[in-house]
Amino acid sequence: MATEQQHDAPAADAANAADLSPVGAARRRFTRAGVAASGVLLTLHSQPGMAVEVCTTPSGSLSGGLQSFRGPPPTCAGRSPGYWKNHSWPRGCNKNEPFTRIFSCNSLNAKTYGTTSQSAILDPKQWDKNGIGRHLMACYLNVQAGLSTFQTTAMLQRIWLEYQAKGYYAPTAGVKWDGGKIVDYLQGTMY
């Protein structure tokens, strides 16, 4: 019976194709070829787990990275907090200066982020919910090292200030990122 169904399927497709215009038939062939090829493409470019590389600004990431750039393509080679904890820092960056030298803190964060050095913030902290401080610091170092040319210090500071003030960051009107989503974006700019 399964064999009969297999033989009937091509006949049914041929009958349906006869009802289609030449353009419709061509689209159907293209779609089938695309489905077959997509498995190959997904196999060739699969990333571990849920890792996603984001080489664009926060608002640009919402458009699926379809943002166009003028001039040379952006550099997207950011490093993680763990990398910066164990490697040399870019020229002009001082591990011993406070986190607040780059990312100012409100009174609620003065006794945590405000008393922590730039190097120490790279270690996970119980009070650094979602690791926002450590990921912002790593992104800042990536910008300073030229490893992330689509981000700026001002952009990272804006994310931090808005998150501190409101408990979320709005990359575009009507969209609110909580701490977890902010960190997801920041991690996506690193490999």
Side-chain angles (χ1 to χ4, degrees), residues 55 57 84 96 106 115 132 135 142 152 174:
C55 296
T57 61
W84 289 114
N96 299 317
N106 62 20
T115 61
I132 292 173
H135 287 91
N142 291 332
T152 65

Side-chain angles (χ1 to χ4, degrees), residues 166-191:
K166 299 178 182 177
Y168 64 86
Y169 170 68
T172 190
V175 176
K176 295 178 181 178
W177 286 356
D178 63 10
K181 288 184 181 175
I182 294 169
V183 170
D184 287 345
Y185 164 73
L186 297 173
Q187 286 177 331
T189 68
M190 305 169 186
Y191 69 91

Side-chain angles (χ1 to χ4, degrees), residues 54-140:
V54 180
C55 296
T56 186
T57 61
S59 61
S61 72
L62 297 174
S63 63
L66 298 176
Q67 188 174 17
S68 63
F69 291 92
R70 291 186 178 96
T75 302
C76 188
R79 304 301 174 108
S80 69
Y83 173 88
W84 289 114
K85 184 68 182 164
N86 297 305
H87 289 83
S88 298
W89 282 24
R91 186 180 197 141
C93 297
N94 185 340
K95 295 179 178 190
N96 299 317
E97 288 185 345
F99 177 76
T100 57
R101 181 184 168 279
I102 310 300
F103 300 100
S104 64
C105 293
N106 62 20
S107 61
L108 297 173
N109 293 317
K111 292 184 179 181
T112 52
Y113 295 93
T115 61
T116 305
S117 71
Q118 292 176 22
S119 176
I121 197 70
L122 294 172
D123 288 324
K125 305 282 186 232
Q126 191 172 19
W127 43 261
D128 185 17
K129 188 168 172 143
N130 300 302
I132 292 173
R134 53 195 290 253
H135 287 91
L136 282 169
M137 192 69 222
C139 285
Y140 168 77

Side-chain angles (χ1 to χ4, degrees), residues 25-48:
R27 284 184 183 151
R28 179 175 280 176
R29 285 191 305 276
F30 179 77
T31 301
R32 285 189 181 148
V35 169
S38 68
V40 173
L41 293 175
L42 291 172
T43 301
L44 293 175
H45 185 71
S46 62
Q47 294 179 334

